């Protein structure tokens, strides 16, 4: 199972909105709504930001939102803040009853 | 909300074995699916293996199938990963993670701090 494809880096200025894409296939992202997004700061464990494509766990800022169209899922961060600078990973359930993560995106706040 | 604490990592020679443990607290352990996720130094996240809340259903990545076995002991609130025939490419920080639900959906809400496994001669 190949990793889902994410851009290596995305940047934005404070207050701006950015969107991270996550491209899979019809055997994973395209066929299931089990898409999650994780934020990981250096040296820390990942944190769940979005699950089931567009749901936010309790305590996660509503500046984070998720969506999906076809084989591509997206994470949008609005009102970008310095604390949002981190690595972000998507993941999806697959037709093989396994899970696959994305390649990861480094978000830089300019 | 709950906590997870991994242990059992360390240095092992190629071809060797290790058993990782993950002690859970603060939530009803047998109500949730559990998983192992790894991260090689400087690399991205990689899903390793998952087990349902009942323990009856398990799935593993092709890269570890036949070598790694996930299991759980609900009486001890502990998740395990038995790793055999270890290879250099298995070197990584191994995270234990709790899913949002019983059957598993890949939504890892609680993570441990990770334990480092180094495979080297």
């Amino acid at each position: 199972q190949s990793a889902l494809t994410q851009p290596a880096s995305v940047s934005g200025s404070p207050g701006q909105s950015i969107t991270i894409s996550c491209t899979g296939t019809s055997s994973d992202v395209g066929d299931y709504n089990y898409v999650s997004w994780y934020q990981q700061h250096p040296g820390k464990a990942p944190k769940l930001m979005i699950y089931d494509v567009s749901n936010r766990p309790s305590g996660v800022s509503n500046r984070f939102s998720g969506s999906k169209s076809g084989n591509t899922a997206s994470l949008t961060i609005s009102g970008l803040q310095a604390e949002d600078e981190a690595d972000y990973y998507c993941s999806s359930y697959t037709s093989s009853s396994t899970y696959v993560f994305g390649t990861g995106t480094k978000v830089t706040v300019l | 909300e709950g906590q997870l604490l991994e242990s059992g990592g360390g240095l092992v020679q190629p071809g060797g074995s290790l058993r990782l443990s993950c002690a859970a607290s603060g939530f009803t352990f047998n109500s949730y699916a559990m998983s192992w996720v790894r991260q090689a130094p400087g690399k991205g996240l990689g899903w390793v293996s998952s087990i349902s809340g009942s323990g009856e259903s398990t799935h593993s990545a092709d890269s570890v199938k036949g070598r790694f076995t996930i299991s759980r002991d609900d009486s001890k609130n502990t998740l395990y990963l038995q790793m055999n025939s270890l290879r250099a490419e298995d070197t990584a920080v191994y995270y234990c993670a709790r899913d949002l639900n019983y059957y598993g959906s890949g939504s890892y809400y609680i993570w441990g701090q990770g334990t480092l496994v180094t495979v080297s001669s």
Side-chain angles (χ1 to χ4, degrees):
Chain A
Q1 180 72 48
S2 298
L4 307 175
T5 301
Q6 298 180 231
S9 63
V10 173
S11 62
S13 300
Q16 286 187 330
S17 293
I18 61 170
T19 297
I20 303 169
S21 61
C22 169
T23 302
T25 69
S26 57
S27 296
D28 40 63
V29 174
D31 205 27
Y32 301 96
N33 286 326
Y34 292 136
V35 176
S36 298
W37 288 91
Y38 299 89
Q39 175 191 67
Q40 187 179 34
H41 287 107
K44 301 294 187 182
K47 176 184 177 183
L48 180 65
M49 306 302 285
I50 295 288
Y51 67 96
D52 295 354
V53 175
S54 60
N55 294 299
R56 270 188 316 275
S58 173
V60 172
S61 171
N62 59 9
R63 298 186 298 105
F64 292 85
S65 61
S67 62
K68 189 184 85 167
S69 177
N71 296 338
T72 298
S74 298
L75 173 72
T76 297
I77 309 175
S78 58
L80 198 63
Q81 299 180 359
E83 68 210 48
D84 300 332
E85 188 161 292
D87 294 326
Y88 290 81
Y89 296 91
C90 60
S91 75
S92 174
Y93 183 69
T94 82
S95 59
S96 302
S97 299
T98 62
Y99 296 92
V100 61
F101 280 94
T103 50
T105 298
K106 180 177 181 59
V107 169
T108 301
V109 181
L110 301 172
Chain B
E1 187 172 87
Q3 282 191 316
L4 299 171
L5 184 62
E6 302 97 335
S7 60
L11 175 64
V12 62
Q13 292 188 337
S17 298
L18 271 182
R19 188 176 83 155
L20 304 184
S21 299
C22 171
S25 61
F27 62 92
T28 305
F29 184 66
N30 60 11
S31 292
Y32 297 95
M34 299 291 297
S35 295
W36 290 97
V37 175
R38 67 185 179 182
Q39 187 168 34
K43 302 297 184 182
L45 299 175
W47 174 77
V48 176
S49 191
S50 293
I51 186 167
S52 64
S54 67
E56 293 178 352
S57 177
T58 64
H59 296 282
S60 295
D62 287 345
S63 59
V64 306
K65 203 168 290 185
R67 300 188 300 123
F68 292 10
T69 301
I70 188 172
S71 63
R72 62 191 299 158
D73 185 337
D74 291 345
S75 69
K76 295 182 179 179
N77 289 347
T78 301
L79 177 73
Y80 301 101
L81 185 67
Q82 178 65 46
M83 304 187 296
N84 300 329
S85 303
L86 282 160
R87 306 166 180 167
E89 54 264 35
D90 295 320
T91 294
V93 172
Y94 284 74
Y95 292 101
C96 163
R98 194 209 85 178
D99 209 293
L100 273 176
N101 60 55
Y102 181 81
Y103 293 104
S105 58
S107 305
Y108 305 128
Y109 184 58
I110 299 175
W111 293 70
Q113 86 290 348
T115 187
L116 177 63
V117 172
T118 302
V119 184
S120 174
S121 55

